Structures are given as C-alpha cells and as structure tokens.
Amino acid sequence: MPRRGLPLQGRARWLLLGIFLLLVLLLFAYLLECTPPADAGLSLPGLGAEPYGREYYQAMLQEQEERHVSRANSLKRQISQLKQELQEMNEKLKALQERKEAPAGGPGLTSDKDQEPGDLLEYLHAQIDKAEVSTGARLPSEYALVPFESFTSTKVFQLEMGLTRHPEEKPVRKDRRDELVEVIEAGLDVINNPDDEDAQEEDVPMQRQTYTEGHFIEGLYRTERDKGTLYELFFAKEDSNEFRQVTLFRPFGPLMKVRSVSVEMTHTIINLIVPLSGRTETFTQFLHIFREVCILQDKRVYLTVVYFGQKGLQDVKISLQKMAREENFTDYTLLPVDEEFSRGRGLDIGAHAWKRSADVLMFFCDVDIYFNLEFLNSCRLNTAPNKKVFYPVVFSLYNPAVVYGNLELAPPIENQLIHKKDTGFWRDFGFGMTCQYRSDFLNIGGFDLEVKGWGVEDVHLYRKYLRSELIVVRTPVSSLFHLWHEKRCADELTPEQYRMCIQSKAMNEASHSHLGMLVFREEIENHLRKQAFRTQSKAED
C-alpha cells in the first residue's frame, strides 16, 4: 500500500529549499546596499560624481555627533523640568495632606458639607494665584505683558485690531455680549448680596446698597491662555465719589469672586506733570482742556509745568496767571529749567518738586493730550500705592488734513474724537502717558536720566515696573486722545531713537487706506484723465 506521507515530505523539502534560497538572495541584496563605496577614488558609474573620500565620512560623522549632542541636551532639559515639576507637585501634595490631617475646626477650615472636592478647589485657587490678582509677576520684557481690553455696557475697546477689526466694537458681537452681561450681573450680585468675607476686607462696616446695571461705569478684562480670564468691574451711584470695585476670575471654569471693596476717592489729588519746551499755542489749547475738566468739573488736580529754555517762557507764565486769575485757581507750579529739553528729566523734576504731602498720585502728561473727567476717575481707580501702576493705551488721531481732506475745513477737535480706523489708532507702542504714585516712582528708581531726547526713557521705566512685583494695568482708554501734530526727528538722536521717531511719524500720519491713496495719487489722477478723455471722445463721435 503506497504511503501518502511521501509526496507531502517532498513538497516540504522543496518549500524549505525555496525559503532558504530566498533568504540568501535577500542577504546578498542587503550586503550590496550597505557596502560603502571604496576610498580608492571610485565614483558612481556613468555619473562622473565626486569621489567619497575620508573628508566626506568625517563630515557625516561630525553631523551625526552634533545631532546626538543636541538631542541629548534637549532630553536633559526636559528631564530637569520634569524633576522640578515633580518636586513642586510633591510639595503641594504634602501641604494638602497636612491640611487634611489637621484637627477638625482648626483655623481656615470649614465643615465637610460646605467644601468642594479638594483637587478642584486647589486648582481654582492656584489659577487665581497665577493671574496677578494680588501681586504682579516678574516679566522679561514689554512684549510679555497681556494687556486688558476695556468695555462699557454697549462697547468694547479692543487693542488687537489688525486690518480687519475696529478699535471700538459696537454693537458688541453676540457671544462676547452674552459673556460680558453675565459678568456684570455676577458683579451686581456680589455687591447687592455681600457676605461676611466682604465686610472683613474693609476697614468700615459694609453698607447695604442696591446697585443696578445703570450704575456700571466701566470694566477691564484679559485672558491668559494658561490661567483664565480676569475681570475688574467698577460701579458708582450718580454724583458720588464712592466707587464699588468687583474683581472676578474665570479659571477656565465657573466664575469665582476674588474681592469686593469700596474705593473712596474724594480726597485723591492727581498731580498732572507736563514737560514743555516751546509750543506755546498748543499749551494754550491744553489749558483750555485743563480748565474745563480739572478746574470746573473734577477740582482735585494739581498742575506742574516744567519748562525748558527761555524762549516762550514768558508766554506760558502769562497764560497760567490769566487762568489762575479768572478761575481763582492757585494749585499750580511753573518750574523753569535752563537746560536742553529732555522729557524724562522734566518729569523727574516735577515728581521731586512735590512738597505738600508724603505721597501723591501723578499723571505724566504731554501738552498734546486730550482727556475728560472719566479718564481722571480711571487714573485713580487703576492705581494703588505699592500695588498697581496704570499705563493707559492712548487713541492717537491721524493728520486731520488727510482724514478730512475732502472738506474745506477740518471739524473742531471735539468732533474729531472718534474711535474709527480712518481717524486714528491705539498707540500700543507708546508708554509715555502713565498714572503712578510718587512713592512707587521713587522706589523703582525713576527715569534713566542718561537717556537724552525722544522715546527710550519711557520704555526703560515701563520695563522696571514689569520686572517688579507691582501690577501693571495696561488697557486702551476711550477717554484719552493724542492730538495730531507734526513730528520732527532731530539729527542729534541716536540711530535707535531716530528709527523709533521715524516709525512713530509714519504711524501718526494716516490710516493704511489713506496712505495708499496718497502713494497712488498720481496713478489715480492718470486714470481719471483717461476716463475723461474717453468720455469726451465718445461724445464727439
């Protein structure tokens, strides 16, 4: 009887032999692929390429070594960061464990039924601690600060415009409007329903008052992607100098109340310091604004004028004396300085000249600035000695001759104060207008008086505050305008200062579209002439 297993064994032997031959073929192909070309000056056949000599392989080895070193350094940095984060987490867990193990009823503890889950509560409070609510963070430069946006019940004044967004958003987009309405309602709920914690934060007992949406003055908010959204809200009754400030925080979760305090500003005087050299006509216009806002309305502003040089000094003195006589106003000082003009030097002299009290709120101002009563309140609300300094972003008006070039006469200044893309821009690169207490200015070291001329001394002072523990409030302010004036860049400036001056001059002239019309004026005129010629030719035919 034939054995059926023999054909199967034969097939298996042939199959094994085929697999063996296939493996040999693959091994041979692998050796051909991996064998490097010889160093004996051989080149790739038919290509005439350069020989692969020793230098070629040395360069390849060096490149590989550098790549591995870079990768090793990157891994070392990551390991170091992970170790640091692990250590911080261990410390937090240890502190949390100690708090849980503390006896019930100890200080700072509440009953279990009132506590939220520990991990979530720890996270939310950690987000508040990182959000510069009570203490400012040390920042490396002016670019690291996240500015605030400001808003009212109907408008949002936004800093990041680009070429498509408007400096003033009205009507407010629905999603943002719903968010801000929720925040205002939450602030009203905090004020109208105070708890024991609110009363403990004030020196005087909390007075129960009812506030409505009509008492909302203005608000600030900013969002930091790794922390959350911080809101500062201000409320006030009609004809009252007492304001309610509510701080809310959204740590990428539900809103949390941080504090609710009363802000009394009845006796808060602002020392408005103006450095000046020449420009007497502009100063006369500035005194008109000062008279209307500070003397007739606010009545809590002191004026300090630091005048450089002798030319025009007598005119400035006469203008001040005339205003003082007509308004019975004596709260001003004129400080003549027989030196070359330096803005930082002038502001420093004005700050040190204050002798009335130990401290005062200062507003560093230029002669071409327009402001109103609302700004003076913002100046007081957004500053606090040894805690906060205020750096408002000014809305800078363009050249009225360009903006209103289609009119015979430009409208009065009061009618030019409009937040539109073609009328002006938020001067987010300027740090000259600022409100800060004199004690903070002196403690931080003031201006760098070695800097002469235009621009840089403001940035140096701003950077000092960023590197300190004070909170820097940076936000566009709707009630502060920089009036256009022709800018001259002196040859005595350093290259860096001259470049900054030219950039500022270009930015101040006109909007993107208006500048484009000026650049292509000749092309537009040629087009109009061609159109007129074609129309005339058709009429003659």
Side-chain angles (χ1 to χ4, degrees):
M1 184 176 180
R3 303 171 68 177
R4 287 185 291 180
L6 290 177
L8 293 175
Q9 292 177 2
R11 291 176 183 175
R13 282 195 294 269
W14 282 108
L15 181 60
L16 291 173
L17 180 61
I19 294 174
F20 175 75
L21 292 175
L22 180 61
L23 291 174
V24 171
L25 181 62
L26 290 174
L27 179 62
F28 181 71
Y30 174 77
L31 292 174
L32 287 177
E33 183 69 23
C34 296
T35 302
D39 284 343
L42 297 178
S43 60
L44 293 177
L47 294 179
E50 293 286 337
Y52 289 89
R54 179 177 301 173
E55 293 80 3
Y56 171 79
Y57 293 105
Q58 287 179 346
M60 289 185 62
L61 289 173
Q62 184 176 359
E63 182 180 352
Q64 290 291 335
E65 183 179 0
E66 291 176 353
R67 191 176 303 164
H68 289 309
V69 170
S70 176
R71 177 63 177 166
N73 291 335
S74 176
L75 290 173
K76 288 179 180 178
R77 287 194 298 268
Q78 294 180 33
I79 292 172
S80 176
Q81 292 175 359
L82 289 173
K83 285 182 178 179
Q84 184 178 357
E85 292 178 5
L86 181 60
Q87 183 178 357
E88 292 177 356
M89 289 300 297
N90 287 335
E91 293 176 355
K92 290 181 180 179
L93 289 174
K94 184 178 178 181
L96 183 60
Q97 187 66 27
E98 291 176 353
R99 188 180 305 174
K100 288 182 177 180
E101 293 176 355
L109 295 179
T110 59
S111 60
D112 293 339
K113 65 179 181 180
D114 294 332
Q115 285 189 338
E116 299 182 29
D119 292 342
L120 176 60
L121 197 59
E122 284 289 317
Y123 167 76
L124 296 178
H125 283 289
Q127 291 296 92
I128 292 179
D129 293 338
K130 293 191 298 183
E132 293 191 69
V133 175
S134 301
T135 305
R138 297 179 182 271
L139 302 176
S141 69
E142 62 269 30
Y143 305 106
L145 180 75
V146 179
F148 285 84
E149 309 279 351
S150 60
F151 65 97
T152 65
S153 57
T154 59
K155 302 177 183 178
V156 173
F157 302 97
Q158 51 197 11
L159 190 56
E160 298 296 331
M161 292 193 307
L163 293 177
T164 57
R165 298 173 63 189
H166 298 281
E168 176 188 279
E169 185 179 358
K170 180 188 177 181
V172 182
R173 206 173 59 234
K174 183 181 184 304
D175 55 341
R176 183 180 291 182
R177 182 173 68 250
D178 294 342
E179 173 197 357
L180 298 181
V181 167
E182 177 194 1
V183 170
I184 295 173
E185 290 176 351
L188 289 171
D189 183 68
V190 170
I191 295 177
N192 294 328
N193 301 286
D195 52 25
D196 296 335
E197 181 182 346
D198 294 331
Q200 292 174 1
E201 290 187 0
E202 299 191 38
D203 296 333
V204 297
M206 178 71 69
Q207 295 182 357
R208 191 67 176 269
Q209 296 185 16
T210 301
Y211 285 78
T212 65
E213 293 183 4
H215 297 131
F216 174 67
I217 304 300
E218 71 168 351
L220 312 177
Y221 75 96
R222 69 176 177 184
T223 300
E224 296 182 78
R225 60 190 63 172
D226 61 337
K227 300 178 183 68
T229 304
L230 176 66
Y231 301 90
E232 296 280 359
L233 309 177
F234 301 100
F235 301 82
K237 296 281 189 177
E238 291 81 6
D239 302 324
S240 173
N241 288 321
E242 181 179 349
F243 289 74
R244 296 290 300 176
Q245 178 179 354
V246 180
T247 303
L248 302 173
F249 186 68
R250 191 194 301 273
F252 297 124
L255 280 171
M256 295 179 63
K257 185 198 72 178
V258 177
R259 70 169 70 91
S260 176
V261 296
S262 293
V263 183
E264 176 57 50
M265 301 188 307
T266 304
H267 303 293
T268 304
I269 296 175
I270 298 177
N271 182 18
L272 195 155
I273 305 176
V274 180
L276 185 63
S277 178
R279 305 187 65 187
T280 54
E281 293 182 1
T282 307
F283 181 72
T284 302
Q285 176 181 288
F286 172 82
L287 284 184
H288 172 73
I289 300 171
F290 183 86
R291 182 199 304 251
E292 294 295 323
V293 176
C294 300
I295 299 179
L296 299 181
Q297 299 181 51
D298 189 83
K299 302 177 182 179
R300 290 167 292 165
V301 179
Y302 190 96
L303 177 62
T304 301
V305 180
V306 183
Y307 194 89
F308 289 82
Q310 296 297 321
K311 185 178 180 181
L313 175 61
Q314 190 62 27
D315 295 335
V316 169
K317 186 180 298 185
I318 292 174
S319 298
L320 286 171
Q321 291 174 349
K322 178 182 178 183
M323 180 187 69
R325 184 173 57 256
E326 293 176 350
E327 303 296 340
N328 194 23
F329 178 76
T330 59
D331 291 337
Y332 75 93
T333 298
L334 175 62
L335 301 173
V337 180
D338 195 12
E339 299 177 10
E340 183 181 354
F341 177 79
S342 169
R343 186 176 187 274
R345 169 71 173 153
L347 295 173
D348 186 79
I349 292 174
H352 283 86
W354 181 261
K355 305 297 182 184
R356 286 198 170 191
S357 61
D359 204 1
V360 68
L361 175 58
M362 303 184 301
F363 171 37
F364 293 164
C365 185
D366 286 345
V367 72
D368 43 30
I369 292 295
Y370 183 98
F371 58 91
N372 58 21
L373 182 63
E374 285 73 18
F375 169 74
L376 297 179
N377 288 331
S378 298
C379 182
R380 295 183 176 99
L381 288 169
N382 290 292
T383 52
N386 200 31
K387 184 176 182 181
K388 289 194 300 184
V389 294
F390 185 39
Y391 272 85
V393 181
V394 182
F395 194 79
S396 188
L397 298 178
Y398 290 132
N399 186 349
V402 178
V403 176
Y404 306 99
N406 58 337
L407 303 178
E408 293 185 3
L409 292 175
I413 291 178
E414 290 76 11
N415 296 339
Q416 299 180 26
L417 307 179
I418 305 171
H419 300 95
K420 291 185 178 180
K421 290 174 64 176
D422 287 337
T423 61
F425 66 100
W426 292 114
R427 187 186 284 263
D428 57 341
F429 56 83
F431 308 99
M433 306 306 113
T434 172
C435 295
Q436 52 193 260
Y437 275 84
R438 182 174 181 268
S439 57
D440 293 329
F441 177 78
L442 298 178
N443 291 335
I444 206 73
F447 288 103
D448 183 359
L449 298 182
E450 298 299 324
V451 177
K452 303 296 182 182
W454 185 88
V456 180
E457 77 283 350
D458 298 333
V459 181
H460 286 184
L461 179 64
Y462 183 63
R463 288 173 179 168
K464 286 183 180 181
Y465 282 117
L466 293 180
R467 292 166 183 151
S468 72
E469 294 185 353
L470 274 70
I471 298 174
V472 178
V473 180
R474 177 78 167 158
T475 180
V477 176
S478 62
S479 52
L480 195 61
F481 291 86
H482 179 272
L483 305 179
W484 182 89
H485 63 89
E486 187 176 358
K487 187 177 293 293
R488 295 182 177 86
C489 300
D491 293 335
E492 294 78 13
L493 298 176
T494 65
E496 180 185 3
Q497 290 176 322
Y498 192 82
R499 177 181 58 82
M500 291 175 62
C501 184
I502 289 295
Q503 287 179 347
S504 177
K505 183 175 183 178
M507 290 287 293
N508 275 280
E509 193 64 21
S511 66
H512 187 273
S513 59
H514 277 146
L515 285 176
M517 298 295 287
L518 292 175
V519 170
F520 299 112
R521 175 184 295 175
E522 183 177 351
E523 184 175 337
I524 295 172
E525 292 176 351
N526 289 336
H527 173 75
L528 294 176
R529 283 195 294 269
K530 291 178 182 179
Q531 290 291 330
F533 177 76
R534 291 173 183 173
T535 303
Q536 184 179 359
S537 299
K538 290 180 180 180
E540 292 175 354
D541 294 341

